[in-house]
């Protein structure tokens, strides 16, 4: 990728929107981050000290998402706003536009774009946001974009300032090799590999803890739940069988008592018929007694008449004795019938009570 434009607005000494274009083709996103050739790109930016030449480099560091504020010569994000917001400017914005026509070196996922613009804004209070091609993005998304073209902005040596050149020249070979590895991006992958191994170790330990938890707590609880489930299913089956058998017993009792009720009703009808017959017989006997009593009264009257006449007294007296014996016999039969009626009525009462008991039973 090659830088086409750098747009600065409200950043440090740039109070108004400033567009820096016509960048040297040698000043690309790789060169600016790996070597001190930044001076080649800034050769045309001449001016006195404090005129803002270094702020251009600070703006590039800012828009790329550097978190180390000392690299941008500031204590906090609010220091990056023009005069710390005291001149009416309340936000700082920097946009860097890359030429992305070389799709072979394009960031992953951005091959279809001919240009890629990255914007970073900061407002009073220190709130910061990123935009990629005008769309809101997270900081790690911006970092991944540059890492996909081997740019690690968190690399302490990704940018060699003018004051560090002498220090770099005095480095030992091992230190220079480490710096080159970091600048080339290979150290980034080593760090990622170390992080991946640490993550895997943590995950393996977590898996062991989970397996131990399964063996010590979860499995016994599951087995207990299985046993409880089996017991509950057996209880449900027993409850179902009990309900079914209870219904069978109730149906059997219902049919049995219904049969008893029917037989009791038939027996009751028979007893009623017998009572009616006895009552009819009693009525007949009472009629006979009434006739006999009339006969007795008539005979007594005739005896009195005969006694007065002195005639057939002996025959009438004999007839009176016979009639008296017949009256005694009939009275005895009547008493027996009345006793039988009382017994039958008592039995009828018991049958009625039994019928009420059967009818009141729940089914």
């Amino acid at each position: 990728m090659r830088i086409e434009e750098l747009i600065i607005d409200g950043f440090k000494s740039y109070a108004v929107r400033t567009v820096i274009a016509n960048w040297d083709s040698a000043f690309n996103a790789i060169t600016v981050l790996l070597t001190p050739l930044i001076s080649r790109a800034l050769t045309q930016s001449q001016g006195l000290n404090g005129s803002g030449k270094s702020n251009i480099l600070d703006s590039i560091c800012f828009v790329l998402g550097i978190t180390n504020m000392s690299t941008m010569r500031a204590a906090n994000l609010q220091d990056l706003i023009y005069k710390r917001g005291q001149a009416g400017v309340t936000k700082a914005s920097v946009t860097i536009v890359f030429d992305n026509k070389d799709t072979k070196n394009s960031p992953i996922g951005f091959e279809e774009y001919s240009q890629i613009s990255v914007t970073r804004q900061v407002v009073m209070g220190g709130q910061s946001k990123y935009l990629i091609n005008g769309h809101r993005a997270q900081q790690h998304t911006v970092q991944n974009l540059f890492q996909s073209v081997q740019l690690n902005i968190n690399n302490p040596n990704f940018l060699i300032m003018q004051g560090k050149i002498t220090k770099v020249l005095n480095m030992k070979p091992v230190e220079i090799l480490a710096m080159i590895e970091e600048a080339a991006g290979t150290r980034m992958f080593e760090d990622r590999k170390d992080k991946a191994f640490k993550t895997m170790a943590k995950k393996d330990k977590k898996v062991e803890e989970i397996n131990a938890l399964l063996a010590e707590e979860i499995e016994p609880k599951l087995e207990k739940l299985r046993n409880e489930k089996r017991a509950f299913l057996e209880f449900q089956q027993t409850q179902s069988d009990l309900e079914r058998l209870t219904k069978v017993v109730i149906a059997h009792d219902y049919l049995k008592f219904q049969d008893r009720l029917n037989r009791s009703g038939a027996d009751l009808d028979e007893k009623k018929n017998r009572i009616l017959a006895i009552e009819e017989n009693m009525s007949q006997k009472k009629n006979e007694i009434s006739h006999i009593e009339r006969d007795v009264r008539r005979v007594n009257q005739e005896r009195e008449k005969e006694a007065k006449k002195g005639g057939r007294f002996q025959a009438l007296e004999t007839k009176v004795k016979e009639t008296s014996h017949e009256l005694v016999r009939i009275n005895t039969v009547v008493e027996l019938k009345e006793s039988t009626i009382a017994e039958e009525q008592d039995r009828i009462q018991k049958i009625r009570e039994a019928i009420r008991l059967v009818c009141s039973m729940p089914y």
Side-chain angles (χ1 to χ4, degrees):
M1 292 191 303
R2 185 176 62 84
I3 299 177
E4 288 188 348
E5 288 182 343
L6 183 66
I7 304 171
I8 307 174
D9 186 5
F11 183 85
K12 283 197 170 182
S13 60
Y14 293 88
V16 296
R17 188 174 186 272
T18 303
V19 180
I20 303 174
N22 300 322
W23 292 75
D24 192 303
S25 60
F27 187 76
N28 54 53
I30 304 296
T31 305
V32 68
L33 300 179
L34 298 182
T35 69
L37 294 179
I38 182 70
S39 57
R40 291 183 53 190
L42 300 179
T43 4
Q44 297 177 355
S45 298
Q46 298 178 357
L48 299 175
N49 292 336
S51 60
K53 299 187 300 299
S54 298
N55 289 341
I56 296 177
L57 185 58
D58 292 342
S59 68
I60 295 176
C61 295
F62 171 74
V63 74
L64 294 182
I66 293 178
T67 56
N68 187 1
M69 299 303 297
S70 61
T71 305
M72 296 178 287
R73 301 172 300 149
N76 52 54
L77 290 175
Q78 192 167 330
D79 289 344
L80 302 177
I81 301 175
Y82 178 72
K83 292 186 178 180
R84 294 179 56 85
Q86 296 179 3
V89 178
T90 58
K91 72 175 182 179
S93 174
V94 178
T95 300
I96 187 168
V97 181
F98 296 99
D99 182 357
N100 194 41
K101 293 184 177 65
D102 186 4
T103 57
K104 294 182 180 180
N105 296 321
S106 296
I108 297 174
F110 292 87
E111 294 84 355
E112 60 183 11
Y113 298 99
S114 61
Q115 284 185 336
I116 298 176
S117 66
V118 180
T119 302
R120 184 181 181 185
Q121 297 177 353
V122 61
V123 297
M124 293 295 296
Q127 294 182 353
S128 177
K129 70 175 181 179
Y130 293 85
L131 301 173
I132 298 178
N133 287 343
H135 299 286
R136 187 73 178 267
Q138 300 293 328
Q139 182 180 9
H140 66 85
T141 306
V142 176
Q143 293 178 354
N144 291 337
L145 184 149
F146 292 121
Q147 286 179 359
S148 66
V149 290
Q150 288 78 47
L151 300 180
N152 184 8
I153 60 173
N154 291 319
N155 178 3
N157 296 313
F158 95 102
L159 182 65
I160 300 176
M161 303 297 289
Q162 182 176 0
K164 289 186 178 181
I165 296 178
T166 304
K167 182 179 180 180
V168 171
L169 293 176
N170 294 329
M171 281 185 177
K172 297 179 181 179
V174 177
E175 295 175 344
I176 295 175
L177 176 62
M179 182 187 68
I180 294 174
E181 287 178 350
E182 289 180 352
T186 57
R187 178 63 61 88
M188 174 182 63
F189 296 106
E190 290 294 331
D191 294 339
R192 287 186 178 181
K193 184 176 72 172
D194 293 340
K195 290 180 180 179
F197 280 129
K198 291 179 180 178
T199 303
M200 290 173 60
K202 290 180 180 179
K203 298 299 182 183
D204 291 339
K205 185 177 179 181
K206 192 66 176 179
V207 169
E208 292 177 359
E209 293 177 355
I210 292 173
N211 290 332
L213 182 64
L214 286 172
E216 296 175 2
E217 297 185 12
I218 305 299
E219 286 297 337
K221 289 182 179 179
L222 286 176
E223 185 63 27
K224 181 180 178 182
L225 291 174
R226 292 190 190 101
N227 295 332
E228 291 179 354
K229 179 183 177 182
R230 285 194 293 268
F232 178 70
L233 293 177
E234 292 176 358
F235 169 76
Q236 279 189 326
Q237 184 63 36
T238 304
Q239 190 73 15
S240 177
D241 294 341
L242 179 61
E243 291 178 357
R244 180 176 57 82
L245 294 175
T246 302
K247 292 178 181 179
V248 171
V249 171
I250 291 175
H252 176 266
D253 291 343
Y254 174 78
L255 294 176
K256 182 177 70 174
F257 286 114
Q258 189 69 29
D259 182 62
R260 287 179 58 184
L261 180 62
N262 293 334
R263 287 189 283 106
S264 299
D267 193 18
L268 178 62
D269 293 338
E270 182 182 355
K271 298 299 182 184
K272 287 181 178 180
N273 292 331
R274 288 181 60 185
I275 290 173
L276 291 175
I278 291 171
E279 289 177 348
E280 185 179 357
N281 193 5
M282 285 179 61
S283 178
Q284 291 177 359
K285 295 300 181 183
K286 287 181 179 180
N287 290 332
E288 290 179 3
I289 290 172
S290 177
H291 291 306
I292 291 171
E293 288 178 347
R294 284 198 300 271
D295 290 341
V296 169
R297 286 194 298 271
R298 183 176 54 80
V299 169
N300 287 332
Q301 290 175 358
E302 290 179 357
R303 187 180 62 177
E304 290 177 357
K305 290 178 180 180
E306 287 295 329
K308 291 179 180 180
K309 294 178 179 181
R312 299 164 57 195
F313 177 76
Q314 188 68 31
L316 291 173
E317 188 174 358
T318 302
K319 191 175 182 179
V320 167
K321 287 182 179 179
E322 291 175 359
T323 303
S324 297
H325 289 307
E326 182 66 20
L327 180 60
V328 171
R329 184 185 68 79
I330 290 172
N331 285 331
T332 302
V333 173
V334 170
E335 290 177 357
L336 290 174
K337 295 294 182 178
E338 289 177 350
S339 176
T340 302
I341 289 172
E343 291 177 358
E344 292 297 332
Q345 288 178 345
D346 185 56
R347 290 181 62 186
I348 288 171
Q349 184 65 27
K350 291 182 179 179
I351 290 172
R352 287 177 176 170
E353 292 179 356
I355 290 172
R356 284 197 299 272
L357 180 61
V358 170
C359 292
S360 63
M361 290 183 63
Y363 294 103

